[in-house]
Every structure is written in structure tokens, then in C-alpha cells.
Amino acid sequence: DIQMTQSPSSLSASVGDRVTITCRASQSISSYLNWYQQKPGKAPELLIYAASTLQSGVPSRFSGSGSGTDFTLTISSLQPEDFATYYCQQSNSPPWTFGQGTKVEI
Amino acid sequence: EVQLVESGGGLVQPGGSLRLSCVASGFTFSTYWMHWVRQLPGKGLVWVSRINSDGTSISYADSVKGRFTISRDNARNTLYLQMNSLRAEDTAVYYCARVIIGGSRSMDYWGQGTLVTVSS
């Protein structure tokens, strides 16, 4: 199975900060990397797919990069509604696996 | 508007069974692959199972293989997860999710989830 490791597990930031979350795959997954946002009590929502493609309706302050084994999610200017937990997920091969999550707190 | 609505969760004793349903609307259900993903209380997301658009290709996580069965009824726009021989470690919120059209295989819409609690 492909292991997905996110860092950090949690971070504290302020509104307006630039935030970067990294995700590392245990083997190459090309660009089959997706990012999801989850708020408490809610279902996850797709932010970015194929490593760098913004899902329709997602604000442009979110961006993704990387390929192979190393990936990054960046929020250019953190907004109050961005405080949430973020998960990466590989869709290269089953079993589809998720990172452990990064909780972004105030 | 795309909607996925899960139901069927509840409290069940260890060794028992439950069938989850996910009713889809707002899109042509029969053309989309679908997943079940679960989230243990206070924990991260774990993939459970996937089915292709016509039900002929299925895969499972090792942890549920032989106990869970994914299926779909395209005439009823409904995805199912039959869960047998339930264990305490199956306690989780179960989400159905749609696979995006295109090559990325990401999950672009999720249901609100249904809670399964396995306890005596």
C-alpha cells in the first residue's frame, strides 16, 4: 500500500498568513494527488485534484504543486473560513490512501 | 444540484449486519464510479470500497474484504454497502463519494455521512 505522510499534523496561524502543508507519498504517484478540506461535523470537500488543478468554485488563494512523491498545498492568505483540517489522498492505485490530516487552527 | 444522501447507519452488536444506502440525485448516476470512505471518531479518512459505473469492477480495503459488499442499482440511483460480521473497529461515519469524470480519479462530491456504531 502507498503510505501518505502529511506535515505538520497541526499548525497555528493568523488571518492573512501564508500557509503551506506538505504531503509525501511512500512511492511515486505521478500527479495522482488530491487535497480535501474538512470542517467539524461536515463531509470533506475537494479542493485540488491532479496535484495542481483547482476544483470549480474553490478560491484562487488555494494552490497545489508537486509530482512523484512530494506535494504541497498552499493557502496564500488565510481567511477565517479556512480554519479546518486538510487531507491529501493518492488516487494512483488502490487501496486509495489518505494522509493523516493537518489541522489549521487560529 | 448534485446530492448524495446516505442512510442506514445505527447501533449494531458485534457480529451483526447493516446495509447502508446512498441515494444520488442531480447527475447521471449510472455513468459515475463511486466510493465508500469511512472516518473513525475523531480520526482521519479511510477508504473502504469502490465500484465502477456498471458494477462490474469492485475493490475493497483489506480490512473489510470478505465482510463488506458494495453494489449499486442504477435504476434506483442508489449505492449500497452491505456490512456483515461487524466489529467494534468498524465504528465510524461512512461517506459515499462520487469519482470525478476524467483521469484524476478524485472524489468530487460527498454525502453528509451516516454513523455506524458497533457495540454491545
Side-chain angles (χ1 to χ4, degrees), chain A residues 11 57 62 68 82:
Chain A
L11 64 90
F62 290 93
D82 301 336

Side-chain angles (χ1 to χ4, degrees), chain A residues 65-82:
Chain A
S65 65
S67 66
T69 61
D70 294 308
F71 302 87
T72 299
L73 172 69
T74 300
I75 309 172
S76 60
S77 177
L78 199 66
Q79 298 301 300
E81 59 269 29
D82 301 336

